[in-house]
Amino acid sequence: MLKKPITEKEALVRLSGLCVKAEHSSGEMLQKMRQWQLPDDARQRVLQQLVEQKFVDDARYARAFVADKIRYNGWGRRKIEQALLMKGVEEGVFAPVLDAVDDEEYLAQLRPLLKAKWRQITAASDYERSCKLIKFAMGRGYTLDLIRKCVDNVQEDALE
């Protein structure tokens, strides 16, 4: 069954409707238009209109995305960076947003996460347990300096 190709105007209406419901990045909008097989020049015009009408703003999207991923998902800087790149947000847009996040915000999420994980990990020694904990935290996107601060504290709390 052949689908009728979507027009530039229909794409604009559909995408603006999506943006009214939730924040989206310009990369997500371009991906949608690629799926609809909209010509490249039409994609650029539609995206330009979405940006001009303030439906799409990558900086606003990055601020909301970073806050949500830290607060609700417990992600670290590296994982958030990778996710934003996958969403088509340029590094120049999201780097200042991530730089504005204080280490204490990451630590506030990481400490309870590692305390809970410490109890779940089975290991022959504290060293092995610490290695597993570090690997877990790195998988969550935290930097090694933040992880070291928390792992040392978690070990001390566990030994008491």
Side-chain angles (χ1 to χ4, degrees), residues 42-58:
R43 278 186 247 161
Q44 294 306 319
R45 285 192 299 272
V46 170
L47 183 61
Q48 175 128 13
Q49 285 183 302
L50 290 170
V51 170
E52 286 172 1
Q53 296 171 5
K54 304 276 190 234
F55 283 111
V56 173
D57 181 352
D58 282 347

Side-chain angles (χ1 to χ4, degrees), residues 3 7 11 13 30 37 43 76 88-89 98-99 116 120 129 141 157:
K3 286 185 177 181
T7 65
V13 170
L30 289 171
Q37 298 174 350
R43 278 186 247 161
V89 180
L98 284 169
D99 290 341
Q120 297 171 357
R129 183 177 275 179
D157 292 346

Side-chain angles (χ1 to χ4, degrees), residues 3 10 14 32 41 53 65 73 99 103 107 109 117 124 136 147 160:
K3 286 185 177 181
E10 288 173 326
R14 284 188 189 184
K32 276 277 188 213
D41 58 328
Q53 296 171 5
F65 188 87
N73 296 58
D99 290 341
D103 282 352
L107 290 171
Q109 296 297 321
K117 191 68 177 174
F136 168 77
I147 296 169
E160 290 177 355

Side-chain angles (χ1 to χ4, degrees), residues 4-17 36 38 46:
K4 183 181 146 198
I6 190 168
T7 65
E8 193 172 324
K9 189 172 184 174
E10 288 173 326
L12 181 62
V13 170
R14 284 188 189 184
L15 293 176
S16 58
W36 296 335
L38 205 62
V46 170

Side-chain angles (χ1 to χ4, degrees), residues 5-126:
I6 190 168
T7 65
E8 193 172 324
K9 189 172 184 174
E10 288 173 326
L12 181 62
V13 170
R14 284 188 189 184
L15 293 176
S16 58
L18 278 174
C19 291
V20 166
K21 295 176 186 173
E23 283 289 338
H24 292 281
S25 69
S26 57
E28 290 174 316
M29 298 293 102
L30 289 171
Q31 179 62 32
K32 276 277 188 213
M33 290 186 277
R34 272 193 291 278
Q35 288 174 351
W36 296 335
Q37 298 174 350
L38 205 62
D40 196 36
D41 58 328
R43 278 186 247 161
Q44 294 306 319
R45 285 192 299 272
V46 170
L47 183 61
Q48 175 128 13
Q49 285 183 302
L50 290 170
V51 170
E52 286 172 1
Q53 296 171 5
K54 304 276 190 234
F55 283 111
V56 173
D57 181 352
D58 282 347
R60 183 179 65 210
Y61 176 80
R63 284 190 302 275
F65 188 87
V66 167
D68 285 352
K69 294 304 175 187
I70 291 172
R71 188 172 297 120
Y72 301 116
N73 296 58
W75 286 8
R77 181 183 177 108
R78 300 290 173 240
K79 190 164 184 169
I80 294 170
E81 285 175 350
Q82 291 300 310
L84 285 168
L85 288 171
M86 295 292 290
K87 295 280 187 179
V89 180
E90 293 179 15
E91 189 172 352
V93 173
F94 68 76
V97 175
L98 284 169
D99 290 341
V101 177
D102 188 38
D103 282 352
E104 281 304 314
E105 279 189 65
Y106 291 120
L107 290 171
Q109 296 297 321
L110 185 58
R111 280 185 192 113
L113 195 65
L114 292 183
K115 278 185 182 180
K117 191 68 177 174
W118 180 268
R119 289 185 218 99
Q120 297 171 357
I121 294 174
T122 55
S125 67
D126 281 345

